Amino acid sequence: MNYQVDDNGFYGRFGGAYVPEMLYPNVEELRQNYLTIMAEPDFQEELQALLKDYVGRPTPLYFAKRLSEKYNTNIYLKREDLNHTGAHKINNTIGQILLAKRLGKTRIIAETGAGQHGVATATVCALMNLECIVYMGEVDVERQAPNVARMKMLGATVVPATSGSKTLKDATNEAIRDWINNPEDTYYIIGSVVGPHPYPDMVARFQAVISEEMKSQLLEKTGSENPDYIVACVGGGSNAAGAFYHYLDTPEVKLVAAEAAGLGIDSGESAATSVLGKEGIIHGSRTLLMQTEDGQVTEPYSISAGLDYPGVGPLHAHLHQSGRAIFESITDEEALQAVLELTRLEGIIPALETAHALAAIGRLGAKPDEVVVINLSGRGDKDLATYLDRFNFDGK
Amino acid sequence: MENRIQQLFAQKPKGLLSVYFTAGFPSLEDTVPIILELEKNGVDLIEIGMPFSDPLADGPTIQQSSEVAIRNSMTIPKLFEQLKDIRQHTQIPLVLMGYLNPVMQYGVERFLQKASELGIDGLILPDLPLSDYVREYKALFEQNGLSNIFLVTPQTPEQRIREIDTHTNGFIYMVSSASVTGSTTEQSVSNTAYFERVNGMGLRNPGIIGFGIHNSETFTQACNHASGAIIGSAFIKALAKEGNLTENISTFIQSIRQNEIV
C-alpha cells in the first residue's frame, strides 16, 4: 500500500483539487513550485535555522514516568506544546511563509478555528513584515477572545466570517473567497492537511519534522527508532500527519488517530468524521465528510474548537479506509478527564485537542514492555476558561 | 443532434440574456413560476442553481439565497420533481448549476440520466476539474446530450482555454474579473484586453460573460465583448424585494434590456 500522494494529488481515492477555475492558477502555481522550492539549499537553511532558534526545535521527547506507571506501559510525550506560540501549528506556518516569500507574494491570508493557526500565521507575518488577514468564524471570535487579542497585537486583521454556521468551515470558505478575489499578490496559508492538492502533502511535509525528530530521540532513549504505538488527535489532521509521516511505511508501528466524539457518536453533537462521514468534497478535496443525505455539509460539534471540522485530511481518510491507522472516538468528558490526569500526574496542562489523544491511551491495550508515543500537540493556556468552568477546584 | 443551447447560439449569436436563480428561493415552489416568467420576459437562457451549504465561488447574495433554499427543504430530488413536466410548458434552454458534492451524493450517472430525461440541456459544476471530467464523465454527458459548461477567468492561460474549448460543446462562461459572484465594486465591465484576447483565439464555442453583471450598463458592455451575459446576484436581490414575483421579475428584466434597440 502506498501512503504518499500520487502524481495527481490523490491518496488512494482521496484528495485531488476540486476547485473552481478562479482558483486553478493559484493552486497550479503552488503545485508546480512547492517541491522545487522546498528542496533548495537556501530554503532549507533558512527553515532549519528558524525552526531551531525561533520555534525552539527539536522539541523534547519526554518519558512520562507517572503516567507510564498508571497505564503499566512506557509512555513518551513529544512536546510540541513547547514550540513558540504553544503548538505544532508554527512548524507549518514558518515553512509556508518562506515559500510565499519566494513566490513573491505580499499579502497573507489564513483561516482559524480556535485561533492557534491564526496566531501562528500572525506571528510569522510579523516576523517577515507581511500583511496578514485571518478569517475566523464569528462564533469562534467570541469564544476564543484571548487568541483574537494575540493576533491583533501581532498586527493581523481578524475578519469575522458571518456566513453559514460562522465557525471553522465558514472561515475556510471566506479565506478561499478572498483568494479568488486576490489571485495575484495573495498567498493562502492553510493550517491543516486539508484543501486542494498540494496543500495536504505540503503541510504534511512541514509537520513531518515531528516524526523525524522522534526517530532519533527514540533510538537514543529506547534503543529503537520504532515505538509500538503513536497516538495523535485528528481534526483536519496536521499534527497526526506530522507524527505519523516517517512511520507510514513501517507497519509494526501502530498509528492511532483520536477523533472528537463530542457528546457521543450517536448524540447528533459530534465531530467523529471517520465514523459519521461519507465520501464527499469539501474545500477542494475528496475525503470523508459529515453531510446530509442530500450532500449538504453538516455542522460538527466538539468541546475543542480545533477538532470541530466536518471533514478530515485526505491522507487520514486513506489511512482509515486502508486500515493503516486505528481511529478512536473520544467524548468531551473523556478528554476533560485526560486533561486533569496529565496535569496532576506530570505537571503539564495540555490543550483540549491534545487531551483527546491522551484519553486514547487506556484503549490501546499496551503491554508493560511496549513503547507508546503521544504527540502532545499543544498546551492548554488557551483553554483555561473552559477548564475553570468545567472543573471545580474550590477547596482542592 | 443539437441541444437547445447549441440551437440558441446558432439562431441568436449576439445580445443573449442568461439569468441565474437559486432553486427554492424565495419559496420552495417558486422554481417553475420563475422559469416561465423569465421566458415570458424575453430571457434567452436560464441557469437553475442547486443550493449548496458551502458555495466557494459565490458572494453573499447567492450564499444567502442558498441558505434560505436549503432551509426551505430544496434538494436535488425535489428539484427534479418540480421540473418533471417543464418541457410541456417551455422550450427555453435550461442549465443546472451547482457544486459537485450534492451531485456526487445523488450519483453522477443517475443525475445525468435524470436531467436528460427532464429536458435539461447543460450543466455548470464549477468545482468539477477538467481532468476528472475528461477522464470519468465526458462520455456520460455526451450520451445524455448534455453540454458541460466550463468557466475561464482573466488568469486562465491560453493553452488551458483551448483545452476547455476542445472538451465543451455549449458555450464558454467568461468570468468577468477575479472575484466571487455578486461583486459590484467595478461599475463597468472593464477587462477589455482579456475579452478581446479570448475572442481573438478563434474558439469553436461562443462565450458569455458573467460575474458582476448587474444592470443595463454592465449588460450592454458585456454584450459588446461576447455573445451575451449572465446575471445572477442582481436578479436574486430583485426576487427578494417586496411585492409579487411576477412584477419583480418583469421590472428587473425590463431594466436590464432598456438600452437595447429592438
Side-chain angles (χ1 to χ4, degrees), chain B:
Chain B
M1 202 185 77
E2 286 193 329
N3 66 27
R4 293 177 197 84
I5 298 172
Q6 291 148 347
Q7 288 165 12
L8 172 70
F9 282 91
Q11 286 158 14
K12 188 177 176 184
K14 288 301 280 181
L16 294 177
L17 173 58
S18 178
V19 170
Y20 168 97
F21 72 97
T22 307
F25 177 87
S27 301
L28 181 62
E29 299 296 343
D30 286 337
T31 313
V32 173
I34 291 173
I35 292 171
L36 298 180
E37 210 52 42
L38 284 171
E39 188 195 27
K40 207 161 84 187
N41 283 278
V43 167
D44 299 296
L45 192 153
I46 298 173
E47 292 166 28
I48 306 167
M50 301 177 287
F52 181 48
S53 53
D54 295 77
L56 290 183
D58 288 302
T61 304
I62 293 180
Q63 286 171 40
Q64 282 153 20
S65 69
S66 302
E67 279 176 34
V68 171
I70 292 166
R71 267 205 307 275
N72 288 343
S73 307
M74 179 49 76
T75 62
I76 289 173
K78 177 71 189 166
L79 178 62
F80 283 163
E81 189 197 311
Q82 291 176 341
L83 295 176
K84 72 179 188 309
D85 298 325
I86 195 70
R87 285 306 174 203
Q88 292 169 22
H89 303 289
T90 174
Q91 292 306 310
I92 191 166
L94 294 173
V95 171
L96 296 178
M97 181 165 186
Y99 291 81
L100 187 54
N101 194 54
V103 175
M104 251 177 76
Q105 303 313 317
Y106 187 87
V108 178
E109 192 164 352
R110 181 173 159 231
F111 181 91
L112 296 175
Q113 281 167 4
K114 188 76 187 169
S116 174
E117 276 168 37
L118 294 173
I120 300 298
D121 303 292
L123 251 72
I124 306 176
L125 299 168
D127 57 348
L128 170 61
L130 179 63
S131 53
D132 278 49
Y133 171 70
V134 173
R135 195 174 56 240
E136 291 181 43
Y137 304 125
K138 191 181 174 189
L140 281 171
F141 272 74
E142 287 173 354
Q143 276 166 32
N144 288 294
L146 293 163
S147 296
N148 191 34
I149 313 300
F150 287 97
L151 278 56
V152 305
T153 79
Q155 279 74 36
T156 310
E158 180 169 333
Q159 195 197 337
R160 187 166 167 84
I161 296 177
R162 291 203 184 281
E163 210 183 327
I164 285 169
D165 187 47
T166 312
H167 292 295
T168 190
N169 56 0
F171 60 89
I172 288 176
Y173 191 137
M174 295 161 73
V175 176
S176 64
S177 63
S179 75
V180 294
T181 58
S183 166
T184 51
T185 48
E186 292 187 45
Q187 284 307 310
S188 63
V189 178
S190 56
N191 222 325
T192 313
Y194 149 61
F195 302 130
E196 292 316 312
R197 176 167 62 86
V198 178
N199 288 333
M201 285 174 64
L203 302 178
R204 59 191 198 104
N205 288 285
I208 306 193
I209 296 173
F211 285 43
I213 314 300
H214 60 281
N215 55 19
S216 64
E217 287 76 33
T218 45
F219 175 68
T220 310
Q221 286 161 359
C223 286
N224 289 336
H225 299 292
S227 294
I230 301 164
I231 299 185
S233 299
F235 178 66
I236 286 167
K237 281 183 192 158
L239 288 180
K241 283 186 179 159
E242 297 280 309
N244 75 52
L245 208 63
T246 314
E247 276 171 26
N248 286 344
I249 293 173
S250 79
T251 308
F252 180 78
I253 301 301
Q254 278 166 30
S255 79
I256 298 299
R257 293 278 204 194
Q258 66 183 345
N259 284 1
E260 288 200 335
I261 301 156
V262 181

Side-chain angles (χ1 to χ4, degrees), chain A residues 8 10 17-26 162-165 169-170 172-174 176-178 180-184 278-284 286 289 291-298, chain B residues 51-59 63 67 70 74-77 99-106 126-129 132 135-137 151-153 155-157 160 164 175 177-180 211:
Chain A
N8 297 316
F10 282 85
Y18 294 83
V19 294
E21 191 62 31
M22 292 79 96
L23 280 179
Y24 180 82
N26 313 27
T162 56
S163 61
S165 51
K169 108 182 148 64
D170 309 284
T172 308
N173 290 342
E174 290 305 326
I176 291 173
R177 289 178 186 125
D178 180 310
I180 289 174
N181 290 332
N182 300 284
E184 310 272 352
K278 264 177 60 191
E279 189 173 325
I281 288 167
I282 185 169
H283 299 139
R286 184 189 283 250
L289 171 62
Q291 54 183 316
T292 66
E293 208 176 295
D294 302 310
Q296 309 296 350
V297 181
T298 50
Chain B
F52 181 48
S53 53
D54 295 77
L56 290 183
D58 288 302
Q63 286 171 40
E67 279 176 34
I70 292 166
M74 179 49 76
T75 62
I76 289 173
Y99 291 81
L100 187 54
N101 194 54
V103 175
M104 251 177 76
Q105 303 313 317
Y106 187 87
D127 57 348
L128 170 61
D132 278 49
R135 195 174 56 240
E136 291 181 43
Y137 304 125
L151 278 56
V152 305
T153 79
Q155 279 74 36
T156 310
R160 187 166 167 84
I164 285 169
V175 176
S177 63
S179 75
V180 294
F211 285 43

Side-chain angles (χ1 to χ4, degrees), chain A residues 99-388:
Chain A
L99 198 65
K101 272 179 64 181
R102 278 162 177 77
L103 290 171
K105 306 293 179 180
T106 54
R107 182 174 173 273
I108 302 296
I109 56 172
E111 84 297 336
T112 197
Q116 289 302 103
H117 174 59
V119 168
T121 304
T123 298
V124 297
C125 286
L127 180 68
M128 298 293 167
N129 191 27
L130 288 171
E131 185 187 359
C132 180
I133 295 104
V134 179
Y135 290 90
M136 187 171 187
E138 201 173 43
V139 171
D140 293 333
V141 169
E142 280 167 28
R143 63 182 179 184
Q144 307 287 335
N147 273 344
V148 175
R150 290 167 83 192
M151 287 186 270
K152 287 183 176 168
M153 190 163 172
L154 288 158
T157 305
V158 179
V159 182
T162 56
S163 61
S165 51
K166 304 175 176 62
T167 59
L168 176 58
K169 108 182 148 64
D170 309 284
T172 308
N173 290 342
E174 290 305 326
I176 291 173
R177 289 178 186 125
D178 180 310
W179 210 21
I180 289 174
N181 290 332
N182 300 284
E184 310 272 352
D185 63 346
T186 298
Y187 184 94
Y188 178 18
I189 300 189
I190 294 186
S192 191
V193 286
V194 301
H197 177 66
Y199 278 103
D201 183 49
M202 180 171 66
V203 176
R205 285 168 185 265
F206 285 131
Q207 292 294 358
V209 65
I210 299 171
S211 48
E212 191 187 316
E213 290 174 3
M214 246 187 227
K215 281 198 155 185
S216 53
Q217 290 168 326
L218 279 168
L219 183 63
E220 191 193 310
K221 288 179 197 293
T222 70
S224 168
E225 285 186 339
N226 298 339
D228 296 285
Y229 296 89
I230 300 173
V231 189
C233 64
V234 171
S238 69
N239 91 76
F244 296 167
Y245 195 87
H246 289 286
Y247 293 100
L248 289 170
D249 297 316
T250 313
E252 56 269 35
V253 179
K254 297 179 200 69
L255 307 177
V256 181
E259 285 186 313
L263 301 183
I265 293 288
D266 301 319
S267 66
E269 299 290 340
S270 179
T273 309
S274 77
V275 183
L276 300 170
K278 264 177 60 191
E279 189 173 325
I281 288 167
I282 185 169
H283 299 139
S285 180
R286 184 189 283 250
T287 187
L288 294 172
L289 171 62
M290 289 170 59
Q291 54 183 316
T292 66
E293 208 176 295
D294 302 310
Q296 309 296 350
V297 181
T298 50
E299 185 54 23
Y301 163 80
S302 164
I303 190 173
S304 135
L307 302 182
D308 198 354
Y309 186 68
V312 63
L315 165 65
H316 296 297
H318 181 50
L319 294 178
H320 174 69
Q321 202 184 49
S322 64
R324 176 65 188 94
I326 304 154
F327 280 66
E328 295 286 353
S329 306
I330 306 295
T331 64
D332 288 358
E333 208 45 53
E334 291 170 307
L336 284 166
Q337 287 314 309
V339 167
L340 210 50
E341 182 178 270
L342 187 74
T343 304
R344 295 293 167 89
L345 287 177
E346 299 289 347
I348 298 170
I349 303 176
L352 263 171
E353 289 77 13
T354 311
H356 288 70
L358 293 161
I361 299 174
R363 301 197 192 168
L364 301 175
K367 300 188 185 81
D369 60 338
E370 289 188 316
V371 172
V372 177
V373 177
I374 307 292
N375 196 34
L376 207 73
S377 56
R379 58 180 177 241
D381 309 30
K382 70 182 179 62
D383 298 311
L384 278 180
T386 306
Y387 297 162
L388 290 174

